[in-house]
Amino acid sequence: VRAYNSIGDSDYSNIASAATPSCPAPEFSLKNSGDIYATVFESETSNSSKSIITVIPSLGFDLPVDLSVSSITPDLPGAEFHFSRTSLDKDRYSSGSEFWVTVPMKAKTGTYQIIIEGEANIEGVGSIRRQTTLNLYLKSNDPIWKEI
């Protein structure tokens, strides 16, 4: 704040000016309930366990958040990604959406990192995206020995 008197020659004043700081925009983050696991079969697909994806709002955020898979590393050809709800409104933030993967038969075992993205459109701000990362652990159902 800077103040001046009408003549401008005193530290005391009857005129003042001040800049008002801008308010931060509403915000959100994503959270998952943990990593997921699946067994790979030679002759059929399998479904992984489930992780719950929730929205944590802040600064008055209350808009719908659309969920999608942003990436999986390394690539897992033939994998199908599922959400019980692809969009979460404010009444569903805390209950969230179940997420799981249908794993193709004969998939390579190992650890896959999945990035899930949430997107919301805030008027006057635009589209904002937030992410959460979880791992998909694939193990084989092959027996240690095979009959020849």
Side-chain angles (χ1 to χ4, degrees):
V1 174
R2 193 165 193 166
Y4 301 95
N5 68 8
S6 59
I7 311 171
D9 62 358
S10 169
D11 289 338
Y12 302 100
S13 174
N14 60 0
I15 302 172
S17 66
T20 305
S22 61
C23 296
E27 182 63 80
F28 75 95
S29 61
L30 288 183
K31 182 179 176 183
N32 68 72
S33 64
D35 294 331
I36 55 179
Y37 303 83
T39 301
V40 176
F41 295 99
E42 287 292 315
S43 60
E44 62 185 19
T45 61
S46 62
N47 286 325
S48 72
S49 57
K50 295 178 180 180
S51 185
I52 307 296
I53 310 303
T54 54
V55 173
I56 292 110
S58 61
L59 302 171
F61 182 86
D62 64 355
L63 299 171
V65 175
D66 297 324
L67 301 173
S68 63
V69 172
S70 174
S71 67
I72 182 168
T73 307
D75 191 33
L76 184 56
E80 296 176 13
F81 305 106
H82 308 278
F83 293 94
S84 59
R85 294 183 186 93
T86 56
S87 185
L88 296 174
D89 60 27
K90 66 180 179 178
D91 296 331
R92 307 257 180 176
Y93 288 170
S94 60
S95 60
S97 174
E98 292 181 326
F99 171 76
W100 71 98
V101 178
T102 299
V103 178
M105 60 184 167
K106 300 181 182 179
K108 183 177 177 184
T109 59
T111 303
Y112 294 81
Q113 184 179 73
I114 300 173
I115 298 176
I116 295 173
E117 186 170 86
E119 181 178 8
N121 291 307
I122 299 176
E123 189 175 332
V125 174
S127 177
I128 61 170
R129 293 179 178 94
R130 298 295 176 259
Q131 298 177 336
T132 185
T133 302
L134 55 87
N135 289 316
L136 166 64
Y137 295 100
L138 296 184
K139 69 175 187 170
S140 175
N141 190 41
D142 284 346
I144 295 173
W145 56 271
K146 291 184 179 180
E147 189 173 328
I148 301 177

